[in-house]
Amino acid sequence: FNKSLALHKNWQSYQGLGLALFQTKQYQPAIEAFNKSLALHEDGQSYKGLGLALGNTQQYQLAIEAFNKSLALHEDWQSYRGLGEALRYTKQAAEAIEAFNKSLALHEDWYSYHSLGLALLDRKQSRESIDAFRKAIVLKESISTYHNLGLALCNIKQYQEAIDVFQKSLSLKKDWDSYYFLGLALAGANQFYETITALGKSLLLIGTSSEDESIMQIASVYPALAKALNEAGREDSAIRTWEKHYSHK
């Protein structure tokens, strides 16, 4: 592309350069290439590429503008999906939901259903998010989707279903947060002895994290464990757990 541009500056070569740079995660040079292409010729593919590159550099408002210009020229599911993602990151959840639904009307994929579920959770529409997460899982099993599905179920007090979901997550990978979320669901179901076991396993796995990560993770797990110990009648252990929690702050 650079050789082509050295001979003759044309929008197609700049667009191709931008796509190649984007694929190698060189997002800022990709943005520059797409902008040069668009200065010569407005094209939906270049606007879409520009929006994706801007999104990857967290320039979300500019990404929204680029995706809207792309969609004005040609409706495309990837542009709607990228638009939805940028809208969600700028806390425009209602508009993001609309964009993800338009994306899914053109093409069903795991990422759009998962992102739709997150946007619905942002709007506290837990029941609707459950449907989106379930559709995402049909297309691809994902730990993050299982986590969010389980949390949405907890939001509507469907604790047994949430327990089943977190156990499915653990069948994919035994990680600290799956055990932590399982513990929360078990506590919601008043299964405090099982809660204590799950949160204990979470703490064991946190021990394998880096120091900065483990401090943040322990800050979540210890309070939940202390409450479960108290509910199970183990007040002395609960007090010791609170002391451990404060010692890590």
Side-chain angles (χ1 to χ4, degrees):
F1 292 112
N2 283 323
K3 287 181 180 178
S4 172
L5 288 165
L7 295 172
H8 177 64
K9 290 180 171 58
N10 61 78
W11 70 270
Q12 293 99 328
S13 294
Y14 277 123
Q15 184 190 84
L17 176 60
L19 291 170
L21 289 164
F22 179 83
Q23 287 167 357
T24 55
K25 300 184 179 181
Q26 300 180 65
Y27 300 123
Q28 194 56 47
I31 290 167
E32 294 169 11
F34 287 129
N35 276 324
K36 286 178 180 177
S37 175
L38 289 162
L40 297 171
H41 172 75
E42 286 196 296
D43 174 79
Q45 185 77 2
S46 293
Y47 274 124
K48 179 173 72 174
L50 176 61
L52 292 170
L54 287 163
N56 275 281
T57 55
Q58 300 180 349
Q59 299 180 67
Y60 298 120
Q61 194 54 52
L62 290 173
I64 290 167
E65 294 171 15
F67 287 127
N68 279 326
K69 288 179 180 178
S70 173
L71 289 163
L73 294 169
H74 175 67
E75 276 201 309
D76 172 271
W77 70 270
Q78 290 174 316
S79 292
Y80 276 124
R81 190 177 82 174
L83 174 62
E85 196 73 0
L87 286 164
R88 183 172 171 264
Y89 277 119
T90 53
K91 302 188 185 305
Q92 300 177 67
E95 293 83 355
I97 290 165
E98 183 180 353
F100 288 130
N101 278 323
K102 287 180 177 178
S103 172
L104 287 161
L106 297 172
H107 173 79
E108 290 189 293
D109 69 298
W110 166 81
Y111 192 88
S112 293
Y113 274 124
H114 177 82
S115 298
L116 172 62
L118 294 176
L120 287 162
L121 274 184
D122 291 340
R123 295 273 294 173
K124 303 189 187 304
Q125 296 176 239
S126 295
R127 293 185 186 277
E128 294 85 348
S129 76
I130 288 166
D131 182 60
F133 290 132
R134 290 198 189 282
K135 287 178 178 176
I137 287 167
V138 169
L139 296 171
K140 186 181 83 171
E141 283 196 298
S142 159
I143 290 171
S144 61
T145 307
Y146 275 127
H147 285 175
N148 284 288
L149 172 57
L151 291 171
L153 287 163
C154 285
N155 288 344
I156 61 168
K157 303 186 187 306
Q158 298 291 320
Y159 297 116
Q160 190 54 56
E161 285 188 61
I163 290 165
D164 294 341
V165 166
F166 292 130
Q167 286 173 338
K168 286 179 182 176
S169 174
L170 285 163
S171 73
L172 297 180
K173 182 183 178 184
K174 289 178 168 50
D175 54 6
W176 80 271
D177 37 354
S178 291
Y179 276 119
Y180 169 62
F181 293 139
L182 174 60
L184 296 183
L186 288 162
N190 296 323
Q191 299 179 44
F192 297 113
Y193 291 104
E194 293 85 350
T195 300
I196 292 163
T197 299
L199 295 176
K201 289 179 179 179
S202 178
L203 286 169
L204 285 174
L205 288 168
I206 286 173
T208 64
S209 304
S210 70
E211 185 176 352
D212 289 342
E213 286 179 340
S214 65
I215 289 171
M216 292 177 64
Q217 293 160 1
I218 284 170
S220 300
V221 180
Y222 271 136
L225 178 58
K227 290 173 185 176
L229 287 163
N230 194 62
E231 290 287 350
R234 296 168 59 182
E235 289 86 357
D236 289 346
S237 295
I239 291 167
R240 287 194 295 273
T241 301
W242 280 118
E243 288 170 346
K244 288 179 183 177
H245 168 63
Y246 290 117
S247 72
H248 280 90
K249 282 195 167 186

